[in-house]
Amino acid sequence: MYTFTDVNGGRVELTFGDNRFGMEARHVLVVLKHENRWLLTRHEVRGIEFPGGKAEPGELVEAAAIRETMEETGVELTNVGKFAEYIVDSNITFCKAVFTGTVVRIEENPTLFETSGAVWLTDEELDACQELSFHMKGTGMELLRKWVVEHAS
């Protein structure tokens, strides 16, 4: 387990094992690399970030990861698997499940929600990006990207 402080001062605990937090994950994040490019989206307010969001009532987090990715990027996924979870202890404490998967299809003109669609960046472009959301900065995202490169690429 890794413990660190995020850019907003929240305490974060990240695990690549089973959930040991005693809190069910109802938020999702999708960290995916396809053909040597990271799948990101441009949020209208926050900037460029990995797709994700909240599970709807009664929705499994795996289904939420697939739905949120489609809604935010127009990319359809399969073989979605959870590889990490983290808890953020701040004003509102929450637990987020982190997924990766396989791209099945990329819609050319998707109906999008809250974003302007898919943004595909190489490692170098992502590292140099000046438009990153605050969610994308810090130790947690570095560790998640490293795991995907080592285990899923």
Side-chain angles (χ1 to χ4, degrees):
M1 182 166 341
Y2 299 87
T3 303
F4 49 90
T5 302
D6 69 14
V7 297
N8 290 326
R11 184 173 187 271
V12 179
E13 293 180 56
L14 168 68
T15 182
F16 291 97
D18 293 330
N19 179 324
R20 297 179 225 151
F21 304 125
M23 174 184 278
E24 179 185 16
R26 299 303 298 153
H27 293 73
V28 298
L29 181 70
V30 177
V31 181
L32 179 130
K33 198 169 188 182
H34 174 71
E35 298 179 354
N36 293 316
R37 294 186 183 270
W38 294 98
L39 172 62
L40 300 117
T41 189
R42 184 183 309 276
H43 187 275
E44 296 170 358
V45 175
R46 294 186 301 261
I48 293 176
E49 59 191 20
F50 289 122
K54 297 177 186 172
E56 301 291 336
E59 182 180 37
L60 297 174
V61 288
E62 292 82 0
I66 293 167
R67 177 185 51 77
E68 288 286 352
T69 301
M70 177 58 83
E71 288 178 356
E72 294 183 0
T73 68
V75 174
E76 182 180 351
L77 300 179
T78 190
N79 301 324
V80 174
K82 181 174 70 171
F83 69 91
E85 286 191 345
Y86 64 91
I87 191 166
V88 178
D89 188 13
S90 59
N91 295 347
I92 299 173
T93 300
F94 62 91
C95 184
K96 188 172 283 201
V98 187
F99 295 87
T100 195
T102 304
V103 173
V104 174
R105 180 172 54 94
I106 302 171
E107 287 197 20
E108 289 188 32
N109 296 304
T111 301
L112 301 168
F113 298 88
E114 300 177 354
T115 73
S116 58
V119 176
W120 295 93
L121 299 179
T122 64
D123 288 319
E124 295 78 15
E125 291 167 335
L126 181 51
D127 290 340
C129 185
Q130 298 296 309
E131 301 173 62
L132 292 179
S133 160
F134 69 90
H135 294 297
M136 295 295 295
K137 298 175 181 172
T139 304
M141 290 303 154
E142 292 171 15
L143 292 168
L144 295 173
R145 285 176 56 192
K146 181 179 177 185
W147 190 96
V148 169
V149 167
E150 292 176 355
H151 298 92
S153 294

